[in-house]
Amino acid sequence: QVQLVESGGGLVQVGGSLRLSCVASGSIFTISAMGWYRQAPGKQREFVASITRGGSTTLANSVKGRFTISRDNAKNTVYLQMNSLKPEDTSVYYCHADLWSGDSWGQGTQVTVSS
């Protein structure tokens, strides 16, 4: 079992930055990849970024050049650095872990970008 807790969301102005954190606990050795998804009201949850156990990263086209995913293995933490934020980035951001058997989701953290 893996538990995920996100933090770092908040209200930011257009063009501003936020850094989200996701701390994993439990059976860390079963995690093959971690990433971030987001879901705005009335919309489908969408992929944002991921990082594999080997360190390979993937970003959605909508955030390339603005967001960066990274990790600190010693802290069992994955980060999402969000720069040049736009109103369309407003969403609840969810941390996700791919596990050997199944997956795990965090509770979500709200990001609001005001114009």
Side-chain angles (χ1 to χ4, degrees), residues 3-48:
Q3 295 77 46
L4 306 173
V5 178
E6 305 100 327
S7 63
L11 176 64
V12 65
Q13 292 183 332
V14 171
S17 298
L18 285 173
R19 188 178 75 162
L20 307 183
S21 299
C22 175
V23 180
S25 61
S27 302
I28 305 301
F29 61 91
T30 68
I31 299 175
S32 60
M34 293 186 66
W36 294 91
Y37 291 72
R38 65 187 183 186
Q39 187 169 25
K43 292 189 175 182
Q44 188 83 353
R45 187 170 298 187
E46 65 175 345
F47 170 80
V48 177

Side-chain angles (χ1 to χ4, degrees), residues 3-6 8 19-20 22 27 35 40 44 49 51 55 59 83-84 88 90 93 96 100-102 109 113:
Q3 295 77 46
L4 306 173
V5 178
E6 305 100 327
R19 188 178 75 162
L20 307 183
C22 175
S27 302
Q44 188 83 353
I51 183 166
L59 295 172
N83 300 324
S84 302
E88 48 263 47
T90 294
Y93 284 71
H96 176 260
W100 293 350
S101 179
T109 185
V113 184

